[in-house]
Amino acid sequence: MKRFTTSLIAMFALMVLVSCTIVIDVPTPTPFVSTALPESTPTVVREQVLRIGMVNEPPDLLPYHSNPTDERLTSALTELIFPSPMLAVDFKLQSTGVLIRLPDFANGDVMTTTVTVFRDALGQISETPTETTDNVTQVSVTFHWNPNLRWADGTPVTAADSVFAYELAQQIDLGQAANSRLAMTERYEQIDEYTTRAVLRPDVTDPAYITSFWTPLPRHLLADLDAQQIGQSEFVRRPLGYGPYTIKSFEGGTLELVRNPFYWGEAAPFDTIVIAFRSEPGQLVDLVRGGGLDLAFIEQPMPALLDQLLARADQQELQLSTSPNTIWEHLDFNLDVPLLQDIRVRRAIAHAINRPALVEQLLGGRSNVLESWILPGQLGEPPLDQITRYAYNPDEARRLLDEAGLFDTDGDSWREYEGLPIVLSLVTTANSPLREAVASQIANDLAQVGLNIEVVPLPPGELYSTEGPLYQRTFQLALFGWIAGAHPRGWELWSCSGVPGEANNWTGNNFAGWCFFEANEAINTATTALDPNEQIAAYLRQQQLFTQEVPVLPLFQRIDALIARPGLSGWRLNPTAPFTWNIQEWRVTGE
């Protein structure tokens, strides 16, 4: 088994305006004057304007995001300015044309070599020579950048711009994803004017190797600035990109984008895109219904609003599309709690929670009850007949609790453990209507089988702090969410090394504390094998053990909603791609 030497932490989430003008100097052609032709009446072409509504105004428009939540909420905008070199659509990476091809082993852009390294007394790779050497695999990935790319001021985008972003990330914090990429990279270098190469650290065979590129930043504008000042500069809110649109203004709760005159790809059908930010989703609905907006994006509409949207769509007042997104809710069991160490108790709780009712009542039936932690569509999604599933069955829950010796001996409706009524605390995030509703139903469902649940809402900063109950593992039950990526990964969540503690500086995300030898071997293989078939087989075995042991009960995926006025067509909501991913296909009619 390979040693995975770099821990790329999969952090959770579920966490002044500056105005300036970018002047683009486009050469003006010399006018042609002819007196031989009669004067004609000019043709007036109406400007195509798209009006979009969003709830969250981003603090910046850089292609580097502070965390997965920030990426989810802002990538729909940054994709218009800095198209990703590769984009996850339905959990599968596809080319956007920024690279002339996706790297893989077949085309020679991904290569492995064997290198000799030193090992220290703990078996870790050491840069200091020791008496112990080892031969390990080193991965390199070559990226061929499209030579037609141009910044919105006409300057060519080159490999040097990509290397500049890498160098900048070594000096300032460009976010969690950038830091993880840095952690697995030995060096990132320019091969020629339009080619870069990432060389990963020895023995790092992480499946994320394909995304070891660095999205270009304009070296010609930023190289002379002090790196520490860039994050405080006007550039972060008004960056110059290479995408189909560039920024005209960003102030007063409104972002206005206009065409990049030097964009190399297929032009979107809109001359101008105006994005209005409103704090309440209901305001966006009213604006779409009234014609003030063409389209609005709403993340996880609350049940009352979702019911309203469904009714409006039925009455053809607006168009509605919903899709499960990459945020999945789950209930964690702390396996240090003696009561929860009994697998019968965990299985009983899984059977007692009416997950289909959660999806129906809170999500309008428009999401999935999750049977495992790998989401539908992801690599390694298990065949349902090959894993253990927990249908809603309170009678089976009662049987398992009886079998575990947990009875209500005094007739007060609550089962007892070691002579005392069972009261389990459930920590979750405060001020989250969805989690509040989920926690309430979980408490009600478990009460029906004799388990008393005390819901403890905590501020996110306290719940997710390294000094909080998750990392310190002082909770009993915990309700929160993870954001899935294009690749399932999972080493941070399920490996023995991922259990947070003093040894790993409280950085692991295996909050349940599940350390099961065979499952640990499987997740290590799944997250270090370079062969997708080997990954899939390892993920299946890990999930078979995971669902048997149920250290965590997956609940459901959250949903996103797009609403549009009847005249907008072509838009398609996708579980993993930002909602603007296919904007070239959108059309506005009926004006």
Side-chain angles (χ1 to χ4, degrees):
M1 180 192 73
K2 295 181 181 296
R3 296 181 180 90
F4 187 66
T5 61
T6 305
S7 173
L8 307 181
I9 304 305
M11 301 293 288
F12 46 78
L14 301 169
M15 26 175 303
V16 196
L17 302 182
V18 178
S19 174
C20 65
T21 300
I22 295 179
V23 178
I24 302 175
D25 295 321
V26 182
T28 303
T30 302
F32 175 79
V33 179
S34 173
T35 57
L37 296 176
E39 185 176 0
S40 61
T41 302
T43 301
V44 177
V45 179
R46 186 174 184 180
E47 183 183 32
Q48 286 288 315
V49 179
L50 177 71
R51 300 155 301 174
I52 295 175
M54 298 177 65
V55 172
N56 299 96
E57 180 174 333
D60 66 70
L61 291 171
L62 295 179
Y64 293 91
H65 307 282
S66 59
N67 54 53
T69 298
D70 174 48
E71 182 175 4
R72 271 189 46 77
L73 296 178
T74 63
S75 60
L77 304 179
T78 57
E79 276 297 312
L80 301 175
I81 304 166
F82 298 90
S84 302
M86 53 188 76
L87 193 64
V89 179
D90 292 320
F91 290 104
K92 295 177 177 60
L93 291 174
Q94 66 178 34
S95 174
T96 61
V98 173
L99 298 171
I100 63 173
R101 66 191 186 202
L102 295 184
D104 58 34
F105 284 97
N107 61 25
D109 290 342
V110 181
M111 300 183 66
T112 60
T113 58
T114 300
V115 296
T116 301
V117 298
F118 296 102
R119 297 275 186 194
D120 63 19
L122 297 176
Q124 301 297 313
I125 292 179
S126 171
E127 294 184 3
T128 302
T130 68
E131 295 182 356
T132 304
T133 61
D134 193 8
N135 293 326
V136 299
T137 298
Q138 187 165 39
V139 179
S140 64
V141 189
T142 300
F143 301 97
H144 300 277
W145 299 88
N146 188 333
N148 295 319
L149 294 177
R150 295 290 183 274
W151 297 106
D153 62 1
T155 304
V157 178
T158 69
D161 294 308
S162 178
V163 173
F164 173 73
Y166 165 68
E167 294 168 345
L168 186 63
Q170 294 175 307
Q171 301 173 69
I172 63 175
D173 186 0
L174 290 183
Q176 290 176 12
N179 293 336
S180 294
R181 196 176 297 123
L182 279 176
M184 72 177 185
T185 303
E186 179 179 87
R187 64 184 185 274
Y188 186 74
E189 55 199 8
Q190 180 175 343
I191 304 303
D192 59 35
E193 190 173 9
Y194 297 107
T195 309
T196 58
R197 178 187 296 135
V199 179
L200 304 192
R201 296 183 185 278
D203 208 23
V204 173
T205 53
D206 191 292
Y209 68 83
I210 194 173
T211 60
S212 55
F213 58 81
W214 291 84
T215 300
L217 291 173
R219 177 185 287 270
H220 67 289
L221 293 182
L222 301 177
D224 292 336
L225 300 180
D226 180 85
Q228 301 301 323
Q229 295 177 347
I230 291 176
Q232 308 300 321
S233 70
E234 294 180 345
F235 182 84
V236 300
R237 278 183 62 86
R238 300 282 303 271
L240 187 74
Y242 52 81
Y245 289 93
T246 190
I247 301 167
K248 180 179 180 180
S249 64
F250 189 9
E251 56 186 334
T254 301
L255 169 65
E256 185 173 355
L257 304 175
V258 295
R259 291 185 190 277
N260 172 3
F262 299 99
Y263 181 56
W264 59 275
E266 178 186 356
F270 311 105
D271 301 295
T272 300
I273 300 178
V274 178
I275 298 96
F277 302 99
R278 299 292 183 268
S279 59
E280 293 296 329
Q283 294 177 306
L284 300 179
V285 177
D286 291 340
L287 286 168
V288 172
R289 289 182 60 215
L293 292 174
D294 297 302
L295 176 139
F297 173 76
I298 301 174
E299 182 189 31
Q300 188 49 62
M302 291 299 99
L305 179 59
L306 182 58
D307 289 343
Q308 180 190 136
L309 294 177
L310 293 169
R312 301 292 186 196
D314 287 342
Q315 297 165 13
Q316 298 185 336
E317 294 182 16
L318 50 78
Q319 301 180 77
L320 170 66
S321 176
T322 64
S323 172
N325 64 34
T326 54
I327 301 175
W328 59 282
E329 299 289 324
H330 52 93
L331 181 70
D332 284 26
F333 303 99
N334 186 343
L335 300 184
D336 282 355
V337 176
L339 175 63
L340 298 176
Q341 290 173 354
D342 191 325
I343 193 172
R344 295 167 296 187
V345 175
R346 302 197 300 273
R347 288 176 172 175
I349 290 174
H351 280 299
I353 297 174
N354 192 346
R355 293 180 293 161
L358 289 173
V359 170
E360 187 62 37
Q361 295 168 13
L362 302 180
L363 307 173
R366 296 194 168 216
S367 187
N368 307 306
V369 171
L370 295 178
E371 305 293 353
S372 187
W373 65 274
I374 292 187
L375 305 186
Q378 274 189 305
L379 177 81
E381 176 190 0
L384 295 181
D385 62 352
Q386 295 187 38
I387 59 173
T388 305
R389 302 168 66 187
Y390 297 91
Y392 174 56
N393 189 337
D395 289 336
E396 176 65 8
R398 296 184 186 98
R399 186 193 70 77
L400 287 166
L401 293 172
D402 288 346
E403 186 180 304
L406 306 177
F407 300 101
D408 171 20
T409 61
D410 58 9
D412 66 353
S413 299
W414 302 118
R415 295 176 184 266
E416 293 130 27
Y417 175 67
E418 296 184 344
L420 296 174
I422 295 173
V423 180
L424 289 170
S425 67
L426 169 59
V427 297
T428 190
T429 47
N431 302 316
S432 170
L434 179 68
R435 295 227 174 96
E436 181 180 310
V438 173
S440 177
Q441 183 178 310
I442 287 175
N444 291 336
D445 288 344
L446 294 183
Q448 300 305 307
V449 299
L451 299 179
N452 191 1
I453 304 300
E454 178 186 46
V455 178
V456 182
L458 296 175
E462 180 178 344
L463 180 64
Y464 300 138
S465 166
T466 54
E467 302 300 321
L470 294 179
Y471 280 97
Q472 295 296 316
R473 303 193 57 248
T474 57
F475 69 96
Q476 294 179 319
L477 302 173
L479 170 67
F480 61 102
W482 291 118
I483 301 180
H487 193 280
R489 299 183 58 79
W491 184 88
E492 302 85 356
L493 300 180
W494 314 121
S495 71
C496 295
S497 298
V499 179
E502 188 173 354
N504 61 13
N505 198 28
W506 311 99
T507 55
N509 298 150
N510 185 348
F511 299 133
W514 186 50
C515 182
F516 193 89
F517 178 78
E518 188 179 352
N520 185 66
E521 294 289 296
I523 201 64
N524 282 340
T525 299
T527 54
T528 59
L530 294 174
D531 181 354
N533 292 324
E534 189 177 354
Q535 293 174 33
I536 291 170
Y539 274 129
L540 175 58
R541 184 59 186 145
Q542 191 274 346
Q543 288 174 97
Q544 289 172 334
L545 297 168
F546 171 85
T547 56
Q548 287 172 19
E549 291 285 311
V550 65
V552 169
L553 178 65
L555 299 174
F556 56 82
Q557 290 172 257
R558 290 191 174 209
I559 63 172
D560 289 332
L562 274 180
I563 57 173
R565 71 176 185 84
L568 183 67
S569 63
W571 48 280
R572 287 184 286 148
L573 193 57
N574 187 272
T576 55
F579 69 84
T580 55
W581 71 280
N582 70 329
I583 197 168
Q584 285 81 2
E585 301 174 18
W586 296 13
R587 298 293 183 272
V588 174
T589 59
E591 293 188 339

